[in-house]
Amino acid sequence: MLAALVVTQTLTLLVALWSDRQGSERTVKTQAQGSLEQLARVASENVAGYLQFASQIVQVNRANMLSGLLSADDPAGQLMNFQALLVSVPQLNGVLVGHGDGRFVFLRRDGPDSLGRFSRVIEVRPQRRVLTSTYDARGVLTGQSAQADPYDPRERPWYRQARAAAGRVVWTDPYVFASSGQPGVTVASALSTPGGEVVIGADVQLRQLAQFLQGVQISPNGRAFVTDERGHAIATSRAWPGEASAGSIPLLRDVADPALRALLDRERPSSLQPGTHWYDVSGQQFAAVIRPVEVQPGVTWMIGVYAPTTDFTSGLGGNRRPLTFVLLVSLVGSLLAWPVVLRATRPLVELQRQATTDYLTGLPNRASFVAQLEESLRAPGAEALGLAVFDLDGFKAVNDTFGHHAGDEVLHAVGARMLAALRAGDTLGRLGGDEFALLVQATSREEVRLRVEGVLEAVARRPVVVDGVAHALASTAGLAFLDPDEGSLSSAQWLARADTALIRGKRRGKGRVWVEGEVTMPTLFR
């Protein structure tokens, strides 16, 4: 009987270990898919918002020119208008106007950190004259040339496409800008003025999108990328292994690494399809999430995020007790061995994630955020440490009118926007309901406040669309500064101080940051 019991328990152990392996694989796949989907959602929403500014600027300039606020025949006035746009809209690289007779006015960023300016003005009456100027970061003229230049705006892709779709805003395929030699896209629209046909445009450099993708925290061997319907390699979070030919935008297939090339081969002959894809590369399993972004009606780009599933297995290997220990328990525990084996081999990664992560937004939950706050209170690592509590203005109306499904979608989108607006070292969590909390470490209290206001700006920048309904939201924040001399206060007391600042502030005005003890103070980003 003893021998039979030992054999039975050994077989039970083997079955349990096999079951654990299967469960671990499922856990890894679930974790990989969830992480990549969250990254793809954040990247696609922010890429869409980033590109939207260029289209809005073209529409604003078009309206100003049609109303007479911006003259089509005043190059100096146009350059002043373009300079104001480049100062206020960091997403833009350049603004331009092309005429049907060959006249051209153009201003773009230039120099170190893009703080300088490069302008080109082409006149055709009484004779053709091209004036090129460069300015430093202070606006001081550093160079000027009136040499002959064969550039003709009417031969550029943005001009031809806009003329072919008069009255509409169009996006060019990616191409190399003639003035800077950098790859980019141009948004343009044609309109008729008393002086003739005019095309207004705005440039977006692709390297700016690449810099944005570099901020998406992908796994060590993963990559995020942007491509269009023709398969161009528009932007990537890290350099491609393949080399692109000078003067052109490469195709993904020409520069892709083996993992992406394997995914492209699976989708042939069609383009990348939205959704989650699982595939093997040289015996290694990969996961990829593809999401569409509508650039304009009828034109869709794709945001892709992919990585090997082994990048998501950290922490799984140490959660099983040694086999010898389980065998000993099987021998001496007899009939009790079955539940012991199950407990010993149960993967804990998913349980740990559920205990520390908010299920709806993917952010740290209240308990996890408070733990981080307590750690910061024990060892403050910056000159200024601020704790902000956010409350969504008007969220109750969304829930009451459109139901909790719409409310959940709004909370998910708001969490993604807040997360994208953070700086390195910031900690964001959801406290519950429509309340979020942010821990900011900076060199000064003013910088802390500005970063909190930046999060408010990200929330209110544009409506959240759920099931075709646009919900315009804003947020109010209460901000408390953590004083090292008051180290005896608990995390709950600090949260209460920030929450009190929020409640008192909302009585005086919504949509801004209220600092603890503040009576009135002008705020930025309003």
Side-chain angles (χ1 to χ4, degrees):
M1 291 181 63
L2 179 60
L5 181 59
V6 170
V7 171
T8 301
Q9 295 303 320
T10 302
L11 291 175
T12 300
L13 174 63
L14 294 176
V15 171
L17 292 176
W18 177 84
S19 176
D20 169 68
R21 180 177 179 181
Q22 299 299 311
S24 296
E25 291 178 355
R26 288 192 296 268
T27 300
V28 170
K29 293 188 69 172
T30 300
Q31 185 172 343
Q33 181 173 352
S35 299
L36 292 178
E37 286 180 348
Q38 176 72 4
L39 291 171
R41 277 194 295 267
V42 172
S44 61
E45 180 169 338
N46 285 279
V47 166
Y50 180 89
L51 297 174
Q52 185 181 18
F53 279 99
S55 180
Q56 291 173 344
I57 291 304
V58 170
Q59 292 170 341
V60 168
N61 279 341
R62 175 186 174 87
N64 288 341
M65 195 166 287
L66 288 173
S67 65
L69 294 176
L70 182 64
S71 173
D73 300 315
D74 180 14
Q78 292 172 25
L79 288 176
M80 291 181 60
N81 173 266
F82 295 170
Q83 167 64 5
L85 291 175
L86 292 180
V87 169
S88 60
V89 184
Q91 291 85 347
L92 287 181
N93 179 69
V95 195
L96 51 90
V97 172
H99 293 255
D101 58 4
R103 285 179 292 161
F104 183 58
V105 179
F106 173 59
L107 183 69
R108 67 165 170 83
R109 302 183 189 278
D110 191 50
D113 300 322
S114 297
L115 296 178
R117 297 292 183 263
F118 169 93
S119 71
R120 173 182 287 162
V121 177
I122 300 178
E123 297 285 0
V124 297
R125 293 190 296 267
Q127 61 184 8
R128 179 179 172 86
R129 180 172 179 264
V130 181
L131 182 63
T132 300
S133 307
T134 56
Y135 303 83
D136 63 16
R138 298 171 298 172
V140 177
L141 181 67
T142 57
Q144 198 165 60
S145 171
Q147 294 181 354
D149 189 322
Y151 182 88
D152 189 337
R154 296 167 296 184
E155 298 176 355
R156 304 305 297 170
W158 54 268
Y159 188 93
R160 294 196 302 267
Q161 288 184 231
R163 285 291 305 274
R168 290 170 42 206
V169 176
V170 300
W171 287 74
T172 66
D173 288 336
Y175 71 103
V176 176
F177 293 150
S179 61
S180 65
Q182 295 293 328
V185 293
T186 300
V187 192
S189 180
L191 68 153
S192 297
T193 69
E197 190 81 13
V198 172
V199 174
I200 300 174
D203 287 344
V204 178
Q205 280 194 6
L206 300 185
R207 68 178 181 182
Q208 293 172 317
L209 281 179
Q211 292 171 357
F212 166 75
L213 291 180
Q214 289 167 8
V216 179
Q217 296 182 358
I218 312 171
S219 67
N221 301 296
R223 179 182 271 112
F225 65 90
V226 182
T227 184
D228 61 4
E229 293 174 318
R230 300 189 181 183
H232 289 106
I234 292 177
T236 179
S237 58
R238 56 191 176 94
W240 297 109
E243 294 185 0
S245 57
S248 64
I249 310 298
L251 296 175
L252 276 179
R253 190 173 297 278
D254 295 335
V255 296
D257 59 12
L260 181 56
R261 190 171 294 114
L263 177 62
L264 293 171
D265 290 340
R266 291 177 72 251
E267 300 297 320
R268 189 181 290 177
S270 60
S271 59
L272 290 172
Q273 298 300 310
T276 302
H277 306 267
W278 302 93
Y279 58 101
D280 290 334
V281 180
S282 301
Q284 186 176 27
Q285 186 182 55
F286 273 74
V289 174
I290 311 296
R291 287 179 63 91
V293 174
E294 188 176 57
V295 175
Q296 66 171 355
V299 177
T300 301
W301 287 4
M302 291 291 181
I303 308 296
V305 182
Y306 64 95
T309 56
T310 52
D311 282 3
F312 302 92
T313 59
S314 60
L316 285 175
N319 288 327
R320 288 190 290 272
R321 298 180 184 177
L323 177 60
T324 55
F325 173 76
V326 180
L327 280 172
L328 179 61
V329 172
S330 298
L331 291 172
V332 302
S334 186
L335 297 177
L336 296 177
W338 176 255
V340 173
V341 172
L342 286 182
R343 182 175 180 179
T345 57
R346 183 183 303 153
L348 299 178
V349 171
E350 182 62 19
L351 296 177
Q352 181 182 7
R353 188 192 67 81
Q354 292 176 1
T356 59
T357 304
D358 175 56
Y359 75 97
L360 185 61
T361 62
L363 299 173
N365 60 16
R366 186 184 190 94
S368 180
F369 181 83
V370 169
Q372 179 62 44
L373 173 59
E374 291 175 345
E375 182 178 342
S376 298
L377 290 175
R378 286 193 298 269
E383 297 179 12
L385 189 62
L387 174 63
V389 174
F390 297 82
D391 181 78
L392 295 184
D393 303 329
F395 176 74
K396 185 176 184 299
V398 176
N399 261 346
D400 292 345
T401 305
F402 300 95
H404 290 288
H405 165 71
D408 289 349
E409 291 293 326
V410 167
L411 289 175
H412 177 82
V414 168
R417 292 183 184 182
M418 287 183 166
L419 187 64
L422 300 188
R423 303 282 186 87
D426 295 348
T427 301
L428 177 68
R430 182 187 175 204
L431 300 182
D434 61 337
E435 279 196 340
F436 296 80
L438 174 64
L439 186 61
V440 178
Q441 300 186 48
T443 57
S444 67
R445 292 193 171 190
E446 180 61 23
E447 183 182 352
V448 170
R449 179 174 182 137
L450 288 174
R451 281 157 70 167
V452 174
E453 289 175 344
V455 174
L456 292 186
E457 168 73 5
V459 172
R461 182 174 297 130
R462 62 187 182 280
V464 176
V465 179
V466 180
D467 296 333
V469 179
H471 303 283
L473 295 173
S475 181
T476 305
L479 175 60
F481 289 103
L482 312 185
D483 191 339
D485 296 333
E486 297 180 311
S488 60
L489 294 182
S490 67
S491 58
Q493 289 172 312
W494 282 117
L495 278 170
R497 291 174 67 164
D499 196 45
T500 300
L502 168 65
I503 295 172
R504 293 177 177 174
K506 290 194 72 169
R507 294 171 183 167
R508 295 194 290 268
K510 299 179 179 180
R512 57 160 289 179
V513 178
W514 290 97
V515 179
E516 178 191 18
E518 178 183 42
V519 177
T520 178
M521 183 184 293
T523 183
L524 302 175
F525 299 103
R526 294 194 65 185

